[in-house]
Amino acid sequence: DAGVTQSPTHLIKTRGQQVTLRCSPISGHKSVSWYQQVLGQGPQFIFQYYEKEERGRGNFPDRFSARQFPNYSSELNVNALLLGDSALYLCASSLLSGSNEATQYFGPGTRLLVL
Amino acid sequence: QKEVEQNSGPLSVPEGAIASLNCTYSDRGSQSFFWYRQYSGKSPELIMFIYSNGDKEDGRFTAQLNKASQYVSLLIRDSQPSDSATYLCAAAGGGNTPLVFGKGTRLSVIA
């Protein structure tokens, strides 16, 4: 079975631009979460979606937004990019949200560099 | 503020030895705990999860959970150079709470 897929793998943007990152969960998984990981730190939670509804949001500014589509794939959008947005963006999928079946499996990530 | 604390390391062990990785968490409401391995430049890969107090074994890996002490550990037996990576500990509560990660412990297994 295919794992979590993310695109693109790498991205270079300049300050002030906008970026859209994409994620497809494991087949049968209905929950998608997004995390940001800066160098030397653990992943930080950004958003969680389950059945196309936002179920949680981390401490990130409104420049960050996301959505989940009927096929459970998801997009993360970041507007007005700042240098500090440079990070590895991780998508994780799980079977269910908020239960003992919520083990999350990560995709390969999108490495974003903002110049 | 929900926090997960890990010693950043590096933790160096000789090949064949037992590596012991530790993690503490602040939120007593945390119910499930996860260990992920992350190679440099790659994404986290799930090693084990544990929900109940005590030990859980999977091959060379043993996860230990002590909810009274708010302590989670991962033991790696017969460590191999391929185990050299950063190990991330994560905790999650019930309901819709997301994973809270520690900063990770860098493990180096010396051949």
Side-chain angles (χ1 to χ4, degrees):
Chain A
D1 282 346
V4 180
T5 60
Q6 291 187 244
S7 63
T9 55
H10 294 83
L11 207 50
I12 299 176
K13 293 285 188 178
T14 57
R15 282 178 297 175
Q17 285 189 311
Q18 175 264 343
V19 68
T20 298
L21 311 180
R22 296 177 176 83
C23 169
S24 291
I26 293 170
S27 178
H29 284 195
K30 299 181 178 180
S31 181
V32 169
S33 298
W34 287 95
Y35 292 82
Q36 179 197 65
Q37 186 177 26
V38 299
L39 199 60
Q41 301 293 317
Q44 295 291 314
F45 171 71
I46 310 176
F47 285 108
Q48 182 183 57
Y49 278 79
Y50 177 66
E51 287 281 17
K52 294 155 282 183
E53 292 188 2
E54 182 182 306
R55 293 300 184 96
R57 182 185 183 116
N59 188 24
F60 280 81
D62 292 343
R63 298 184 296 107
F64 289 76
S65 63
R67 55 180 174 169
Q68 187 176 32
F69 298 99
N71 66 354
Y72 303 110
S73 67
S74 178
E75 286 183 352
L76 174 70
N77 294 284
V78 186
N79 294 321
L81 285 167
L82 303 174
L83 296 179
D85 295 331
S86 296
L88 179 66
Y89 287 85
L90 296 161
C91 174
S93 80
S94 60
L95 188 59
L96 295 173
S97 171
S99 75
N100 284 343
E101 297 297 326
T103 300
Q104 297 189 21
Y105 300 88
F106 285 89
T110 294
R111 190 164 298 280
L112 172 65
L113 177 61
V114 182
L115 300 176
Chain B
Q1 183 80 355
K2 299 174 184 177
E3 293 183 340
V4 173
E5 299 287 342
Q6 294 181 257
N7 188 322
S8 62
L11 172 66
S12 294
V13 299
E15 183 176 359
I18 296 175
S20 178
L21 304 162
N22 306 312
C23 164
T24 59
Y25 59 95
S26 64
D27 181 12
R28 284 199 171 273
S30 297
Q31 296 183 12
S32 49
F33 305 88
F34 303 84
W35 284 100
Y36 289 86
R37 176 175 62 197
Q38 187 171 29
Y39 292 111
S40 181
K42 301 296 185 181
S43 65
E45 172 193 10
L46 180 70
I47 298 175
M48 291 188 70
F49 57 85
I50 186 167
Y51 304 133
S52 303
N53 275 328
D55 295 359
K56 180 181 178 182
E57 187 174 321
D58 184 1
R60 295 188 297 114
F61 299 96
T62 299
Q64 299 174 319
L65 173 60
N66 183 326
K67 290 186 177 181
S69 300
Q70 296 177 241
Y71 177 88
V72 192
S73 67
L74 179 70
L75 301 178
I76 307 174
R77 290 181 298 281
D78 187 25
S79 295
Q80 301 297 309
S82 59
D83 295 325
S84 298
T86 296
Y87 288 80
L88 296 164
C89 174
N96 293 320
T97 56
L99 292 175
V100 178
F101 282 89
K103 293 183 179 180
T105 297
R106 189 156 54 93
L107 173 66
S108 178
V109 180
I110 311 299

